[in-house]
Amino acid sequence: VIAVLLFRTFVFGMFSIPSESMLPTALWGDYLFTEKWPYGYSQASMPFDLKLFDGRILGDVPERGDVVVFKHPVDREAYIKRVIGLPGDTVQVKGGALYLNGAAVPKVRVADFVAPITPYDPCRIVRFRSAAKDGTPVCRYPRFRETLPGGASYGVLDFGAADSNNPWGVDADNTQAVIVPEDELFVMGDNRDDSEDSRFPSQAGAGVGLLPIDNVVGRAAVIAFSTDGTASWLNPVSWFRAARWRRIGETM
């Protein structure tokens, strides 16, 4: 028990993806190993969120493009997003394009992200529904590749004009320029039109706002297991059918 506790505290944690906000990088139903040592240790990285000390020990700042698991600034629930802005950076979204320190981040259209329609990915936007060659219902999302200064490159989804009819009246495709304060981060989901992140005010169960670095649990590392949500506890055979075997071992 002590060995497992030490391992979970200082080496790896486990995190399950609870939404579609990180498509196409991480799918709802993915289970990730999270590396805890790259950024040091704080209350957020302790088991059960225990506050054993103040601040961060052996702390280091994440790099742009890192996918991090963190505790929400208000309700301390575990979230996952990508680091876009570091302390001192100016971040803005204009017309759906990401700007960093006044320069547009390169964004190139690539092949659609095609995902089977499952309970974890019901393809709520009807215009993206389609069918594979074998007739399987799928969702075809418009996918782009962003490349941040420093070389981090990753896929993002962009559905077009964002819906500003939300409780905060935020147009996530057109935001005010924000200078990231010291000891904080600007984070975004890769599914740009389905992620309440640093573009939104911090509120329990919703927007993240600017993220204190001390809230970071660790860096998302590798997919340990993945399931599409079709399994039934009463049918063991369905456990194997629901597993996304090809995702196991993929890195973030």
Side-chain angles (χ1 to χ4, degrees), residues 88-225:
D89 284 341
T90 300
V91 184
Q92 186 175 17
V93 180
K94 295 189 290 185
L98 175 62
Y99 283 73
L100 191 60
N101 299 320
V105 172
K107 180 180 176 183
V108 179
R109 184 72 158 89
V110 295
D112 289 346
F113 175 68
V114 181
I117 295 177
T118 69
Y120 284 166
D121 189 0
C123 199
R124 290 183 291 269
I125 303 176
V126 176
R127 70 178 184 275
F128 296 141
R129 293 178 184 174
S130 182
K133 291 182 179 179
D134 61 2
T136 302
V138 296
C139 205
R140 297 183 181 274
Y141 294 112
R143 177 166 51 177
F144 300 78
R145 179 156 292 278
E146 278 186 355
T147 303
L148 293 172
S153 186
Y154 49 88
V156 298
L157 303 185
D158 189 344
F159 302 158
D163 179 13
S164 60
N165 184 25
N166 52 63
W168 310 277
V170 173
D171 181 354
D173 279 345
N174 296 280
T175 66
Q176 297 295 318
V178 174
I179 299 176
V180 183
E182 185 178 0
D183 297 325
E184 294 188 329
L185 303 169
F186 193 102
V187 297
M188 296 177 71
D190 290 347
N191 189 352
R192 291 293 162 77
D193 294 318
D194 193 9
S195 175
E196 294 176 326
D197 42 46
S198 291
R199 293 171 291 177
F200 295 83
S202 186
Q203 183 171 325
V208 174
L210 291 168
L211 175 67
I213 294 177
D214 284 352
N215 285 43
V216 174
V217 175
R219 180 173 62 196
V222 63
I223 298 173
F225 187 68

Side-chain angles (χ1 to χ4, degrees), residues 42-52 71 75-77 217:
S42 66
Q43 174 186 346
S45 53
M46 294 296 104
F48 312 110
D49 203 30
L50 292 174
K51 188 172 184 179
L52 303 179
K71 295 297 178 69
D75 61 18
R76 306 293 294 181
E77 290 294 319
V217 175

Side-chain angles (χ1 to χ4, degrees), residues 118-120 225-245:
T118 69
Y120 284 166
F225 187 68
S226 185
T227 179
D228 64 13
T230 60
S232 167
W233 287 111
L234 301 179
N235 181 6
V237 174
S238 70
W239 305 347
F240 296 92
R241 288 201 301 258
R244 302 184 184 113
W245 298 105

Side-chain angles (χ1 to χ4, degrees), residues 27-45:
L27 309 186
W28 190 351
D30 284 349
Y31 290 78
L32 311 177
F33 282 127
T34 304
E35 298 169 336
K36 290 197 170 184
W37 67 88
Y39 315 131
Y41 305 94
S42 66
Q43 174 186 346
S45 53

